[in-house]
Amino acid sequence: MIYDNFGQFIGGKWCHGKGKEPIHVSDPGNGKLLGSIPSASTEDTLAALSAAETALESWKHTQAWARADLLQAVAREMVAASAEAAVVISQESGKPLAQAKREWELSVDQFVWYAEEARRIYGRVVESRVPGGRFEVTHEAVGVVAAFTAWNFPVVLVARKLAPALAAGCTVVLRPSSEVPGSAMMVFECLRKAGIPAGVANLVVGPTAETYEPLISSPVVKKVSLTGSTQLGQQMIRDSADTVKRLSMELGGNAPVIVYEDADVEKALDLSVATKFANCGQVCVTCDRFYVHESLYAAFVEGFAQRARQITVGYGQDDGVTMGPLINPRRLQAIETIVADARAKGAKVVSGGHRIDLHGGYFYAPTVLADVPDDALAIAEENFGPIAAITSFSDHEDLWARVNNSAFALSAYAFTRDPARIRETVTKLEAGMVGINSYALAAAEVPFGGIKASGMGREGGSEGLHDYMNVKLAQIVV
């Protein structure tokens, strides 16, 4: 079993944690225990931090081409482990096997991309006003990184942090969600097989007091990277203030979708339904609240509901399943609360709106809500589940106040065929990322991240690499 063979990865070796209580990992598709691991203690976390600190000097001075070769080796090991890894991801997160395979492939992309980017860490030379002088601008690894990842994408979130940090010359202590630790372990086993030097990448899995506090309070940690809730991000920002750490925060989202009167409705529906219910809606950049022009509203609602009813809900590894369970009973209860609030405020449940009793897992029907008022939780807050909240609009100017009236600003989308409207929409939407006639925003080669309460910093692209580097200026006079 993966939980028996792996555990904590500290100083280049797998070891058992010394924590008081074991971590029990359950399958959300049936509620059954997948396995248990000894949790990390404070002593384990400090050992991982020490290993990262010791390894930093050598790793940051390793030639970029050598770091690139290692990341390519990691990618090759990941490709070889694809089949086994997809099963682990599906079991721990509940997502269908096809989606788990795709997540592993996207994680491989991160290591391949940043292997290439490691060779392209460019500086520049600027002419000086001092006779015989010049300015040199260079980039250096920020130092030891503490990384924290969420459960909804248990591998790609790990890869988004590890790959750029290692490419930049940083060392890392990563703490994944305790609900999906085996998925992160699969990545670290590929690192080990690829020959990662001892201490360069470390994994600790355990309770907050033992795995968070020692990292966030340590002056050794120079940067913190988080994918998690806005509330957790706010706390982490406060906790990092005393040691003035550099921060990257990928936090919550509540993405609006505008469907203009000239939109290709069938295309909008096909893409929206597939995106909304992928990973049971537990995606920070998914489409949450739909603003549909009144001329298309009735057809859009009915088309959405028809497609939602055709989704096959079930255990992630069963054939033909296109939507799995929610991650745990708390999410199930939260979704019920959101739907009940919408009903109470006058929204209509067009399809779904109920639990599904299946395998003993945490299943909820793909749900379409129509005539949802702006103050309903389904629109006002991130629902993080299989709920599509649909409302209408007629006045284009009033639309912007409604769409941008959110503390979250991670992603936003629109469907239109008018070039002028496309430019206006990209300009007026308040979001870190905008999709026009497309939801495909997440790729290794482009920056991923939000603004406002959705966070700071970027993962992906050259921006993701430079988030792990300091800028140094030298004035040289000869």
Side-chain angles (χ1 to χ4, degrees), residues 151-283:
W151 48 261
N152 58 326
F153 285 92
V155 170
V156 80
L157 299 180
V158 169
R160 278 185 185 168
K161 300 184 189 308
L162 283 178
L166 298 180
C170 297
T171 58
V172 183
V173 180
L174 186 136
R175 190 255 198 186
S177 167
S178 293
E179 291 183 283
V180 289
S183 300
M185 292 175 198
M186 292 295 298
V187 178
F188 273 81
E189 177 61 3
C190 291
L191 288 169
R192 186 193 68 81
K193 288 182 175 180
I196 190 82
V200 170
N202 305 272
L203 176 74
V204 291
V205 185
T208 300
E210 285 75 22
T211 58
Y212 172 80
E213 297 294 345
L215 296 175
I216 209 72
S217 63
S218 173
V220 171
V221 174
K222 302 302 182 185
K223 176 182 171 66
V224 172
S225 180
L226 166 71
T227 300
S229 69
T230 295
Q231 292 77 14
L232 178 57
Q234 291 168 331
Q235 184 62 50
M236 199 169 282
I237 292 168
R238 289 189 289 267
D239 292 342
S240 299
D242 287 344
T243 48
V244 195
K245 301 185 192 305
R246 189 166 175 176
L247 302 172
S248 292
M249 301 274 141
E250 200 269 279
L251 308 176
N254 185 15
V257 183
I258 303 171
V259 181
Y260 290 104
E261 59 266 39
D262 68 327
D264 182 334
V265 176
E266 293 302 308
K267 178 180 180 179
L269 284 168
D270 288 343
L271 293 177
S272 297
V273 173
T275 301
K276 172 69 255 186
F277 299 116
N279 203 22
C280 201
Q282 299 167 123
V283 182

Side-chain angles (χ1 to χ4, degrees), residues 412-473:
Y413 308 95
F415 288 86
T416 178
R417 291 182 264 204
D418 183 338
R421 183 167 283 158
I422 288 173
R423 298 316 316 167
E424 177 191 30
T425 301
V426 170
T427 299
K428 288 191 174 182
L429 279 174
E430 295 177 0
M433 300 176 288
V434 175
I436 303 295
N437 302 319
S438 173
Y439 291 107
L441 295 177
E445 62 271 23
V446 291
F448 183 100
I451 58 175
K452 296 164 64 173
S454 289
M456 63 186 79
R458 292 296 182 269
E459 294 182 331
S462 59
E463 292 85 355
L465 180 66
H466 284 279
D467 261 13
Y468 289 91
M469 307 191 81
N470 291 325
V471 178
K472 177 178 282 186
L473 173 67

Side-chain angles (χ1 to χ4, degrees), residues 259 290-298 301 370-374 379 389-395 398-399 402:
V259 181
F290 293 83
Y291 299 83
V292 183
H293 190 267
E294 59 184 3
S295 63
L296 303 178
Y297 185 71
V301 170
D371 305 335
V372 186
D374 288 355
I379 281 185
I390 309 176
T391 185
S392 63
F393 76 93
S394 56
D395 186 293
D398 176 63
L399 174 66
R402 298 174 65 195

Side-chain angles (χ1 to χ4, degrees), residues 273-274 277-278 306-313 320-324 366:
V273 173
F277 299 116
Q306 287 178 354
R307 287 165 172 79
R309 296 184 193 108
Q310 294 170 3
I311 290 173
T312 302
V313 179
V321 168
T322 52
M323 193 182 91

